[in-house]
Amino acid sequence: MAYQTLQQEYLQIPVVTRAYTTACVLTTAAVQLEIITPFQLYFNPDLILRNYQVWRLITNFLFFGPVGFNFLFNMIFLYRYCRMLEEGSFRGRTADFVFMFLFGGLLMTIFGTFVSLVFLGQAFTIMLVYVWSRRNPNVRMNFFGLLNFQAPFLPWVLMGISLLLGNSIIVDLLGIAVGHVYFFLEDVFPNQPGGGRWLKTPSIIKMLFDTPEEDANYNPLPEERPGGFAWGEGQRLGG
């Protein structure tokens, strides 16, 4: 019974969030069990181009370090904000969500080459948080019961925490930068005088991932707490 309940809950997670978080957990488990090592996963342009180890383009986004506080912190934020995006503004638009993953991953890979980052998963998480926060500017956050602020400040609060913990903020800045590029091209520029949509999901991705909407008149719900976690809890103003 417990297994069936757990399986049912797992299958209710949106497909992209489920696939990505599962891949991250399985990758970390494989490293913990010494089936693979981080040296086989990290981003290395020379090994990719010269030794054709192309899997590194993907695996560097899947490893968040050994199991511990940092890993759990990142997994909770990844799951929470990835799911809120997929069930919120990307509801019924799986192909567009996959395209955001590909676009963000490509930009991070390019920028990561110049700043010598070997694992980009945390930056990718910050990108998801940034996009969600900019699309929900009126959500008021309560962070661990200590800080109260509105959603657009969340990525900067996370960067401040990284700074206090002695971690490099380059990762956070990269995630914020890529998230801002996506948000600007997708949400801001098309609405400017003379603007237009530069980001268009390729038809092959739409064919692979999109399914007919259940209700053509569906209006996406506010992106609020589908994961049930209180970490970075939000409350919409006026609600």
Side-chain angles (χ1 to χ4, degrees):
M1 181 65 69
Y3 170 77
Q4 291 179 342
T5 302
L6 184 62
Q7 182 184 41
Q8 184 178 8
E9 289 295 324
Y10 176 74
L11 293 177
Q12 286 179 350
I13 301 172
V15 60
V16 178
T17 302
R18 183 170 70 237
Y20 185 40
T21 53
T22 299
C24 292
V25 170
L26 291 179
T27 299
T28 301
V31 172
Q32 288 293 117
L33 295 173
E34 299 183 351
I35 299 173
I36 56 177
T37 71
F39 295 104
Q40 297 171 287
L41 306 174
Y42 75 97
F43 177 65
N44 186 313
D46 288 336
L47 293 177
I48 293 170
L49 296 174
R50 297 179 182 178
N51 294 2
Y52 308 108
Q53 297 182 7
V54 293
W55 65 82
R56 294 178 183 273
L57 291 170
I58 298 174
T59 56
N60 79 90
F61 288 97
L62 304 180
F63 184 64
F64 288 79
V67 175
F69 175 78
N70 190 58
F71 170 76
L72 293 175
F73 187 86
N74 278 291
M75 282 296 98
I76 288 174
F77 271 85
L78 170 63
Y79 168 79
R80 175 174 167 76
Y81 291 97
C82 188
R83 182 169 183 173
M84 283 198 289
L85 279 173
E86 191 169 3
E87 291 185 335
S89 59
F90 284 99
R91 185 181 179 98
R93 300 169 52 217
T94 301
D96 293 338
F97 196 43
V98 171
F99 183 64
M100 187 190 79
F101 267 58
L102 296 175
F103 176 79
L106 176 62
L107 278 189
M108 286 185 189
T109 299
I110 294 171
F111 294 154
T113 303
F114 295 102
V115 294
S116 301
L117 292 176
V118 294
F119 289 105
L120 298 171
Q122 184 177 341
F124 195 85
T125 300
I126 295 295
M127 180 196 75
L128 296 174
V129 171
Y130 183 90
V131 174
W132 177 86
S133 69
R134 291 301 301 270
R135 288 183 170 178
N136 294 269
N138 295 321
V139 174
R140 189 163 182 79
M141 312 297 296
N142 184 310
F143 197 75
F144 295 104
L146 300 175
L147 296 174
N148 291 292
F149 52 89
Q150 287 183 234
F153 291 102
L154 179 58
W156 304 100
V157 170
L158 294 178
M159 186 179 73
I161 292 175
S162 294
L163 190 62
L164 290 175
L165 293 176
N167 299 328
S168 171
I169 62 172
I170 297 298
V171 173
D172 300 82
L173 288 173
L174 177 59
I176 290 171
V178 173
H180 182 73
V181 170
Y182 177 84
F183 176 76
F184 178 80
L185 293 177
E186 181 70 11
D187 293 48
V188 179
F189 186 67
N191 298 316
Q192 298 298 312
R197 287 184 62 95
W198 285 12
L199 297 181
K200 296 183 179 180
T201 304
S203 56
I204 187 171
I205 296 180
K206 285 184 173 292
M207 182 179 66
L208 290 172
F209 293 99
D210 271 353
T211 56
E213 294 186 11
E214 296 178 3
D215 182 357
N217 297 317
Y218 176 78
N219 186 26
L221 297 174
E223 298 165 333
E224 294 178 347
R225 301 186 59 189
F229 293 107
W231 296 37
E233 181 177 274
Q235 182 177 3
R236 190 170 295 274
L237 294 179

